[in-house]
């Protein structure tokens, strides 16, 4: 290097990853606030945008062209919060990585506290723990309840006392996530839960409380139903990684469908009289299929969900696929029953077969990765 060449800026020791989908009104504000908060720390921001139609990535790229502390990854034909975060982390060479929402709900002023604690070796994972502000009402009562319930479940399974495992705001030594990355789920929303359960006992966790803010611009992409995602994750880990998270959710929805079926059946019989059992069963089957389709569309395959009129086509495919599954179920169960006269063994085997079949059809044909419109 020539002696009078400008010295390169210090390399970042902290990468702050910001997953975004339609956050054009927030990205630049967040960058300014993080810049003010991290004064004195060599940091960079990595915006991972899933090709938002509102031009979020254009804004991030414009910032990046004038400030090397900003980087942006525009993912095309893909979506999903957890996967976006992991990909952002995988592009970092810093000692520490963080994740913060792009909508200004997380308080960026605790970033230096998290950083100092990790750099001093007080822990290797620092979680921003949400404390609801009663006056501002950052979390609605329903979300607060869901969050409390989740925290309780989590303590039981993980054996770690974490106040806010659903938090989407934390900082961790990059070396840890780098090792765990191949095992992390790209589909879910609860990346912290996944990280903690995948890491096993090696984490030394510190929690830093902050006031969760209300969202001002843009809208939330997560509904409270997403809480079920968490259940899938925990069961996935409890099975030693054997059951895919999606399958757990799919089976859960199927169990709900069974209840819906029985209720619809009894309602129809009540209304039309017990004589015509065949029609009653047909109607109940359709009702249960519709309920399963809607729940799977909202929860299990949310990333690829059908919206508007395309739901009709999706439902038609789903109903067709499930009918084939039901026929196969009856076939296999009857065949098994010839060999083994225990009715419930044959019945269960048939039912398991159709769940697996329906799952395969749903995952590969009905909600196969499609562009989100
Ligand atoms: N790249 C990408 N892809 N980003 C996404 C996607 C996606 O598919 N979906 C959402 N995001 C971004 C949003 O733009 C935002 O920056 C951040 O992820 C969080 O999304 P919100 O839609 O604001 O979520 P929330 O505020 O309802 O949920 C918060 O609380 C949850 C716990 O209840 C978040 O902090 C979650 O991370 C947290 O799990
Ligand atoms: Mn938010």
């Amino acid at each position: 290097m020539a002696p009078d060449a400008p010295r390169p800026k210090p390399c970042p020791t902290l990468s702050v990853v910001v997953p975004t989908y339609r956050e054009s009104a927030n990205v630049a504000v967040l960058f300014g606030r993080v810049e003010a908060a991290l004064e004195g720390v060599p940091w960079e921001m990595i915006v991972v945008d899933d090709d938002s139609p509102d031009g979020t990535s254009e804004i991030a790229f414009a910032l990046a062209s004038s400030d090397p502390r900003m980087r942006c990854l525009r993912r095309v034909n893909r979506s999903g919060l957890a996967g976006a975060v992991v990909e952002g982390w995988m592009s970092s060479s810093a000692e520490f990585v963080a994740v913060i929402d792009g909508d200004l709900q997380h308080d960026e002023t605790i970033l230096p506290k998290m950083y100092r604690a990790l750099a001093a070796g007080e822990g290797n994972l620092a979680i921003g723990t949400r404390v609801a502000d009663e006056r501002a009402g950052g979390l609605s009562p329903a979300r607060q309840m869901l969050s409390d319930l989740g925290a309780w479940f989590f303590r039981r399974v993980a054996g770690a006392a974490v106040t806010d495992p659903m938090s989407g705001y934390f900082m961790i030594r990059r070396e840890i996530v780098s090792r765990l990355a191949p095992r992390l789920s790209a589909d879910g929303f609860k990346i912290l839960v996944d990280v903690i359960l995948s890491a096993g006992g090696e984490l030394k966790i510190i929690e830093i409380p902050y006031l969760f803010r209300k969202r001002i611009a843009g809208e939330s992409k997560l509904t409270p139903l997403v809480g079920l995602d968490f259940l899938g994750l925990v069961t996935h880990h409890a099975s030693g990684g054997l059951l895919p998270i999606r399958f757990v959710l799919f089976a859960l929805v199927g169990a709900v469908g069974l209840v819906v079926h029985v209720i619809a059946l009894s309602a129809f019989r009540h209304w039309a009289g017990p004589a015509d059992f065949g029609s009653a069963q047909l109607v109940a089957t359709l009702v249960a299929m519709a309920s399963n389709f809607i729940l799977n569309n909202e929860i299990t395959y949310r990333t690829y969900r059908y919206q508007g009129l395309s739901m009709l086509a999706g439902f038609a495919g789903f109903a067709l696929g499930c009918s084939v599954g039901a026929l196969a179920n009856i076939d296999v169960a009857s065949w098994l029953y010839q060999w083994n006269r225990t009715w419930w063994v044959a019945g269960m085997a048939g039912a398991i077969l159709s769940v697996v079949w329906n799952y395969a059809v749903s995952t590969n044909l009905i909600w196969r990765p499609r562009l989100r419109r």
Side-chain angles (χ1 to χ4, degrees):
M1 194 191 298
D4 53 352
R7 289 178 60 80
K9 285 238 165 71
C11 298
T13 53
L14 168 65
S15 299
V16 181
V17 167
V18 186
T20 58
Y21 191 69
R22 292 211 227 117
E23 303 290 1
S24 60
N26 297 318
V27 167
V29 183
L30 180 68
F31 185 77
R33 289 192 188 173
V34 169
E35 176 179 35
L38 284 174
E39 173 78 54
V41 174
W43 63 281
E44 67 174 347
M45 177 175 284
I46 304 170
V47 168
V48 186
D49 183 65
D50 286 348
D51 209 13
S52 303
D54 70 346
T56 306
S57 66
E58 275 96 327
I59 295 173
F61 282 125
L63 279 165
S65 68
S66 63
D67 192 326
R69 291 172 303 181
M70 177 61 124
R71 291 205 280 133
C72 179
L73 168 62
R74 174 183 161 212
R75 302 202 306 167
V76 291
N77 297 344
R78 272 188 296 164
S79 64
L81 178 51
V85 173
V86 173
E87 284 188 35
W89 286 341
M90 292 304 98
S91 79
S92 161
S93 57
E95 193 176 353
F96 305 101
V97 292
V99 54
I100 186 169
D101 281 4
D103 59 357
L104 310 172
Q105 290 194 278
H106 295 163
D107 180 359
E108 70 291 336
T109 63
I110 65 167
L111 281 170
K113 255 192 239 168
M114 294 171 150
Y115 181 80
R116 277 197 302 270
L118 294 194
E122 287 162 31
N124 47 22
L125 166 63
I127 303 173
T129 299
R130 289 171 291 182
V131 191
D133 179 356
E134 271 82 42
R135 286 161 304 142
L139 274 186
S140 69
R143 282 187 71 164
Q144 185 62 52
M145 214 177 78
L146 216 87
S147 167
D148 291 347
L149 198 74
W152 176 81
F153 253 126
F154 184 79
R155 265 198 305 282
R156 307 228 33 162
V157 177
V162 175
T163 319
D164 186 15
M166 312 285 214
S167 171
Y169 185 23
F170 59 96
M171 193 182 293
I172 187 165
R173 290 196 80 85
R174 184 175 62 86
E175 173 266 318
I176 298 175
V177 285
S178 178
R179 229 176 330 112
L180 299 180
R183 277 183 279 148
L184 296 177
S185 153
D187 287 320
F189 300 87
K190 307 296 174 208
I191 179 103
L192 177 60
V193 173
D194 205 8
V195 165
I196 296 177
L197 292 179
S198 302
E202 66 168 309
L203 295 174
K204 208 169 135 205
I205 302 173
I206 37 185
E207 298 189 52
I208 299 176
Y210 74 95
L211 282 186
F212 190 61
R213 302 177 187 136
K214 252 196 154 114
R215 188 189 254 275
I216 313 272
E219 60 190 37
S220 170
K221 281 95 210 167
L222 313 186
T223 64
L225 280 179
V226 164
L228 282 175
D229 197 58
F230 169 79
L231 214 71
L233 253 179
V234 178
T235 315
H236 164 77
H237 282 281
S239 74
L242 203 69
L243 297 176
I245 299 163
R246 279 243 175 87
F247 181 75
V248 175
L249 293 176
F250 192 84
L252 220 80
V253 167
V256 173
L258 212 64
V259 176
V260 168
H261 185 105
V262 172
I263 293 174
L265 190 61
S266 95
F268 190 83
R269 278 161 60 86
H270 181 80
W271 173 67
D276 194 4
F277 183 80
S279 330
Q281 175 72 351
L282 184 71
V283 169
T285 303
L286 280 174
V287 170
M289 269 184 188
S291 136
N292 282 6
F293 177 79
I294 290 168
L295 289 179
N296 278 322
N297 196 49
E298 276 303 308
I299 301 165
T300 321
Y301 301 100
R302 185 174 181 76
T303 318
Y304 313 120
R305 73 179 177 281
Y306 290 91
Q307 279 166 315
L309 274 181
S310 73
M311 281 184 81
L312 287 178
F315 178 63
F318 180 74
L320 195 73
C322 292
S323 306
V324 175
L327 291 181
N329 165 1
I330 295 167
D331 235 34
V332 166
S334 319
W335 180 77
L336 273 179
Y337 187 66
Q338 290 179 351
W339 301 99
N340 179 337
R341 287 271 152 195
T342 323
W343 62 268
W344 61 267
V345 171
M348 281 278 269
I352 289 173
L353 179 95
S354 64
V355 172
V356 172
W357 165 271
N358 292 347
Y359 173 71
V361 167
S362 298
T363 304
N364 297 307
L365 296 174
I366 312 296
W367 283 279
R368 70 177 186 280
R370 307 175 305 136
L371 278 184
R372 171 158 59 177
R373 279 139 307 174

